[in-house]
Each structure stands twice: as structure tokens, then as C-alpha cells.
Amino acid sequence: MDLRFGDSKPTDEERAAVDALLGPPESSWEGADRSDADLRWARGGREARERRDLLLPGLHAVNDRIGWISEGALDYLCRRLTVPPAEAYGVATFYAMFSVKPRPSTVLHVCTDLACAAAGASELCAGVEARLGLGSGVSVERSPCLGLCERAPAALAIKAGDPVRTAVSAPATVERAVLAASAPDSAPEEPPAALAVPQAGPAGREELVLLSRVGVVDPASLDDYRAHGGYTALRQAFAIGPAGVIREVTDAGLVGRGGAAFPTGRKWQATASQPDHPHYLVCNADESEPGTFKDRVVMEGDPYSLVEAMTIAGYAVGAHKGYLYLRGEYPRALERMEHAIGQARARGLLGEDVLGQGYAFDIEIRRGAGAYICGEETALFNSIEGYRGEPRSKPPFPVEKGLFGKPTAENNVETLVNVLPILTMGSQAYAAIGTGKSTGPKLFCVSGSVDRPGIYELPFGATLGELLDLAGVRKRLRAVLLGGAAGGFVRPDELDIPLTFEGTREAGATLGSGVVLAFDDTVPLPRLLLRIAEFFRDESCGQCVPCRVGTVRQEEALHRIVERTGADAASDIALLREVGRAMKDASICGLGQTAWNAVESAIDRLGAYE
């Protein structure tokens, strides 16, 4: 264990930021002024170590207040939590949104990922960097996907202070991005979440189930939510009991919407049956897959639905505490979810006695800080616990030993909100939507070269062509990326693929989390593949060799092919195949196992380098 505290001292602002989260220190062992008693005995160490999970919120507190994390601030936070400084440094440097080097108090994150790249992100970055040069007081950082793909290109400004201020510019121009960075309080307000749902008009709303309230209810009003059917499902859950809820979810055929498609009822039953207690519920709202933004729209437009769904899930699996792990790049979703949870708690819908039923349940929000790997469930658990967000080996599985080593049910936002219609309409009616193996409605994130980008809700079984007809392809279609960066490309003559888990598998593609990125013939495909390779190289946690080395080798080979600096493109493609197989076979988690998928499909299905 490394306990080498340095001589650096925190500033008053840094100390205040940490103390606002943890409370004032009780002894000099935690950083207070030394008293005579402190020379006689040490106290509070065990209690401090039990708060290790507050390391990530502590890093956020300092970064939000100051803009970066100094050695003195990190030292003070480590003393407060009795965390070895070397470990805390490893955590702080793991996340892209933190900096352990001095930087201006304002950071402008400009998205350079797939949808934004196709919408001119390179020109936007160059223009912003030219306008905000040295001495502007703004640090411009090229960022992975910000989850604003329907309004690409996008930028997010974060101005440190008390309180921290944020401004989103999307679709961004150089002038709008500069305004957001220089005066975030004066930046135009974000458009309502309903604009991200093209079906929200009168003609399409009747078909909506999961998105029916987005644009109809006031997302800040609990009364409005209840007036539109809110908390009907929770009352039904209490009427049929935990076993009844699990039975309904199982009979409905609900499977995880994050890409793995694991049966939700089986996961909940396995968690509920574990004799070890306490049980935990974790909602994974860290959707960082390039092209994915559905969970953000739900949280911004219908936040109480997620609060209700998490309460039902907690009740079913026997959990009394739920964690909502929310992307650090979603300031408006954070604000709306904090308000919804506070209102639900104040009205007896969270807390010691939910709806007077004798069931205790509460939700705590934990913010991510820019790490795609934390979308993997065990990496997410490590992140919450205050460790680097690296995946764990399985078994044991999370239903046996998950968060804090206890039985845990983990689901994403879309999976959880599907539980509401299952309980209100009944499992049989829900299962009648979609197909026999893929039941219910599905949310699709459509962006790229389309006229109406946004979230679309369709029953499983609709074809890719039908979805793209709704979105309207702008020009001559070159390719469609299904499943995001971890998915695969399909050709324009393959639009009859049914959008189901089994249908896409049979077609040699993947549905993933529902990303549909359309690219016309003006988009340079080789550059796009290189960006995908750069993404996986950046986001690899580095824990296992196949992924840590393989993602670098993949990027290097694509650089040689794109820039024509290699001796022979054929030999580089052969190397890509070899590296891809090694990553797929030997990587510890899904990031390395899928990092080759999009490149492989572009080579084999599109003839990208022929």
C-alpha cells in the first residue's frame, strides 16, 4: 500500500469543495488542525475507509470548483477518505473529464465522433481553436461522443466555480461554441427534449409507448406525470408483490436493451433469490457508445418514469438502495433527475415508506467522468466503489457478487422504463408487440445523413428500410452503421434486415443498443474507420494485453492504409484480421471483443479498401 502523502497543501477553495461533500474533518488525521488529543490516538480511519465510494464524487467536487485537481487537493481528499494517494491518482487520471495538470477554469469539449465528424466537426474544431487561442482562458478539447448526435456537430462548455456552470451548443457553429465557452449563462437554452422525437407530432404519437409522455408532460412536474398515468405501474407492483412483478417481466419476454439481450426476468429472479444481503439495484445511464442518445432523451423528457421504474425494479429484487450512474456529459439530464428524485422523496414516493406500503427505497446519483468502459457493468461497479473503472473477471456474476460484493441487478434506462407498460398493459399484451423472440417496442437512435435525426420508437420486427424511410435519407446512401462503433456496417441493398436481435444476427450484423448511423457518399469512409479505431484505442482501460495492444495496432494499420504510408495495404489488412481475431478471442470484456467489428464489416461488406 502506498501511503506517501506529499507536502502540497490544498487551497482554501479546494478544501471547501471537499468539505462541502464530506463535512469538516474531525481530527488532524483527516486534515484538520492538530489538537492535543490527536497526538495520543488516531480515530476515524475505519469510518473513512468505508467511504471509499465517495472518491469519485470528491474528484468531481474539486474539478467542478477549480477546473482541475492539484496534488494538494488530491492529497487532502486522500487523507479524508484514507485512500492511498497512488490509487487516487490512478482513479483521477482514468477519466477524460478530469485533469491533474493546470488548465483554464473553462473547458470547451468539441465532439469529433462519428455523427459530428460527418457533420463537419473538423472544421468546427479548427475554427474554435483559431478563435480561442492562448490567453483566452478557455481550454478546447476534442472529445468523444457527447450524446447529442441528433443535433450534430456538438460542443459542451464547462466553467468551474461554485456552482459549476455548463452550456451546450448543438448544432454548434464557431460563434455559438465560442459564446457557450465565454459566457455560459448567456448561451441560448437547449431545445426541449421532444424535438429529439420526430414521432412526437399528432400523427405519430398514438403509436408511442415508451416515449408517449415526452413533450406532453412537464418534466419538472410530478403532478403532471401522475395525471398522465404515472405511478400506476408501481401501485400494480405492490398489488401483485415482488414475485408477481418478476413473473410479469419474465412472461413479457423483456430482454436487456443495452446490447447483450439477456432476459431481464431471469436476472431479477437470480438477484432476488440470493441469500446474501443487502441487494442493490444499479441503473446504467452511462450510454457512451458513439451514436447513442436515447437514455438522455428519456431522462430529460420523462424523468419520473425512470424513478418509478427503478423503484419497481428495486422492489422486485429486494433492494433498498438504487444507484443511477449518469454520464458526466449530460448536465441537463443530471439536473432533471436530481429534481425528480428530490420531488419523489418529498412526496413519499422514495424513502422509508414508499406509498405507505412499508417498503424502503431510495436512489443516489453517481456521475461518470468520461470513460466508455464504465458502460460495462462490472467496470461501473468499480467506478462507484472508488476504483479505476476496469472490468472484473466473471464468474462470479453481478447477481451473486456485484456492487460492494453484494447481489446486484444492473439494467440500462431503456430496459427499466419498459417495465412500466408491462405492468400497466399486462405481460400478454406487451408480448404481442414485436416478434416472438424480440418482444415489445424498441428505441432507435438515428443520426448521420438523414433529414429527421432523433429517437424513433418502433416495434421489434420493423425493417431497417422502414426506419430510414421515417428518418429520410438526404443523399445517395453509402452505408449504415448498426450498433454504433462496436457494431457493423451494412450495405444500401440490405435494408430489408428485420430490426430484431435474431434478425440482425442472421444477417451477420448486430442490433446493439439501437444505434443507426446513416452515411451518404460524401462521407469519407476510411477516415470514419480510423476515427473508430482511435476511439477504441483511447477508451481501452488497458487492463488486458489483447485490447491494450490490439487497439493500438489496429489504429496504426489503419493510419498506414489511409495515409498510404505502408508498403502494402493487403499485408496491413491481413494484420488487421489477425489482431482482430486475437482481441475478439482473448479480451476480458466487450470493448476489446467488439473493437474490430466495424472495421471488419467495412472491409468484408463494403470493400472499404479495395
Side-chain angles (χ1 to χ4, degrees):
M1 177 184 290
D2 183 344
L3 286 174
R4 297 175 186 170
F5 293 97
D7 296 327
S8 301
K9 303 296 181 185
T11 65
D12 291 342
E13 276 289 289
E14 291 168 339
R15 184 184 292 269
V18 174
D19 290 350
L21 174 72
L22 303 178
E26 295 183 0
S27 74
S28 65
W29 299 100
E30 293 184 64
D33 293 332
R34 180 173 292 173
S35 67
D36 291 341
D38 294 333
L39 297 175
R40 297 189 181 95
W41 65 79
R43 53 200 166 96
R46 178 176 297 176
E47 291 81 359
R49 283 190 293 274
E50 290 175 350
R51 298 198 296 174
R52 167 80 186 238
D53 66 296
L54 294 179
L55 179 58
L56 182 57
L59 294 171
H60 268 298
V62 175
N63 199 74
D64 285 350
R65 182 80 68 97
I66 310 300
W68 67 288
I69 301 163
S70 72
E71 184 179 324
L74 190 64
D75 232 28
Y76 181 62
L77 181 59
C78 289
R79 290 183 187 275
R80 296 298 315 274
L81 297 175
T82 318
V83 173
E87 290 187 24
Y89 182 84
V91 174
T93 54
F94 186 81
Y95 298 96
M97 297 184 73
F98 296 149
S99 175
V100 294
K101 296 180 181 179
R103 66 179 178 183
S105 60
T106 300
V107 178
L108 180 66
H109 300 272
V110 182
C111 179
T112 59
D113 244 317
L114 305 181
C116 290
S122 297
E123 294 79 6
L124 174 63
C125 283
V128 169
E129 288 168 346
R131 289 278 296 274
L132 296 172
L134 294 175
S136 67
V138 177
S139 173
V140 180
E141 297 187 2
R142 298 186 177 222
S143 168
C145 185
L146 294 173
L148 295 161
C149 314
E150 85 281 14
R151 290 184 270 145
L156 168 65
I158 303 176
K159 185 176 180 62
D162 185 21
V164 62
R165 286 169 289 173
T166 62
V168 167
S169 177
T173 62
V174 172
E175 290 71 22
R176 290 174 188 164
V178 169
L179 175 62
S182 56
D185 292 335
S186 303
E189 188 176 347
E190 284 192 74
L195 289 186
V197 184
Q199 296 165 298
R205 184 170 294 282
E206 293 180 1
E207 305 298 322
L208 299 180
V209 177
L210 305 178
L211 301 175
S212 62
R213 281 185 288 260
V214 176
V216 174
V217 302
D218 177 0
S221 173
L222 177 56
D223 290 331
D224 202 10
Y225 175 72
R226 298 183 77 164
H228 287 84
Y231 283 95
T232 304
L234 180 59
R235 293 185 182 277
Q236 176 64 14
F238 283 135
I240 62 178
V245 172
I246 294 175
R247 183 173 58 252
E248 285 290 290
V249 171
T250 302
D251 292 346
L254 177 64
V255 298
R257 300 301 202 244
F262 190 84
T264 304
R266 279 176 55 192
K267 179 184 288 189
W268 288 11
Q269 181 60 53
T271 307
S273 62
Q274 293 297 318
D276 194 14
H277 285 275
H279 295 179
Y280 289 104
L281 172 75
V282 174
C283 174
N284 184 350
D286 191 54
E287 54 172 5
S288 304
E289 184 77 44
T292 310
F293 50 97
K294 56 188 174 60
D295 293 349
R296 171 182 62 80
V297 173
V298 172
M299 290 186 289
E300 291 179 351
D302 194 14
Y304 289 102
S305 67
L306 181 57
V307 177
E308 181 182 6
M310 287 184 67
T311 309
I312 293 170
Y315 176 65
V317 303
H320 299 287
K321 182 70 175 286
Y323 285 90
L324 172 60
Y325 191 88
L326 181 61
R327 276 198 78 178
E329 298 92 338
Y330 282 177
R332 185 163 70 169
L334 173 65
E335 176 190 346
R336 298 242 167 119
M337 291 308 306
E338 285 180 335
H339 178 79
I341 289 169
Q343 288 295 301
R345 192 180 292 127
R347 301 278 287 274
L349 299 168
L350 288 174
E352 293 299 319
D353 188 13
V354 177
L355 277 177
Q357 297 293 318
Y359 168 62
F361 184 76
D362 212 339
I363 298 171
E364 183 175 341
I365 296 177
R366 289 296 172 91
R367 277 194 293 161
Y372 169 73
I373 189 62
C374 288
E376 198 277 339
E377 57 185 359
T378 61
L380 186 156
F381 299 156
N382 277 339
S383 181
I384 291 176
E385 292 176 20
Y387 297 93
R388 289 169 63 87
E390 296 173 341
R392 304 172 185 173
S393 297
K394 303 174 188 176
F397 293 98
V399 296
E400 302 166 306
K401 290 187 180 296
L403 185 64
F404 305 119
K406 300 296 182 180
T408 304
E410 181 268 352
N411 297 106
N412 70 358
V413 173
E414 185 187 355
T415 306
L416 287 168
V417 296
N418 268 275
V419 175
L420 305 182
I422 288 174
L423 293 181
T424 53
M425 70 171 58
S427 57
Q428 290 187 346
Y430 179 92
I433 302 171
T435 67
K437 293 183 179 179
S438 297
T439 62
K442 177 76 183 80
L443 301 182
F444 297 95
C445 310
V446 184
S447 59
S449 305
V450 295
D451 293 320
R452 294 173 293 281
I455 301 295
Y456 287 84
E457 180 184 321
L458 292 175
F460 274 116
T463 66
L464 178 58
E466 290 169 345
L467 176 59
L468 290 176
D469 284 342
L470 289 174
V473 178
R474 281 202 297 261
K475 297 178 182 177
R476 185 171 175 269
L477 190 65
R478 169 77 186 278
V480 179
L481 181 58
L482 273 181
F489 286 95
V490 298
R491 300 187 305 271
D493 60 351
E494 298 178 296
L495 300 186
D496 58 347
I497 294 175
L499 295 174
T500 60
F501 291 110
E502 66 275 11
T504 51
R505 254 193 318 268
E506 290 171 6
T510 178
L511 192 61
S513 60
V515 175
V516 178
L517 270 162
F519 298 107
D520 60 35
D521 54 7
T522 66
V523 177
L525 190 59
R527 288 285 173 186
L528 208 65
L529 296 177
L530 181 56
R531 176 63 194 123
I532 292 173
E534 292 170 346
F535 172 81
F536 282 114
R537 180 214 60 204
D538 287 340
E539 297 297 340
S540 172
C541 74
Q543 181 181 197
C544 68
V545 173
C547 180
R548 182 177 70 241
V549 177
T551 53
V552 174
R553 295 292 170 264
Q554 177 173 266
E555 183 201 4
E556 289 171 346
L558 287 171
H559 262 298
R560 289 193 295 269
I561 294 173
V562 171
E563 297 166 2
R564 298 183 179 180
T565 56
D568 180 13
S571 62
D572 276 323
I573 290 176
L575 174 64
L576 283 169
R577 293 189 188 280
E578 184 178 351
V579 169
R581 282 194 298 269
M583 288 194 292
K584 188 174 292 188
D585 292 343
S587 294
I588 195 173
C589 81
L591 188 150
Q593 293 163 11
T594 59
W596 154 244
N597 285 0
V599 179
E600 180 184 32
S601 64
I603 293 171
D604 293 342
R605 301 178 87 123
L606 304 180
Y609 298 112
E610 290 180 354

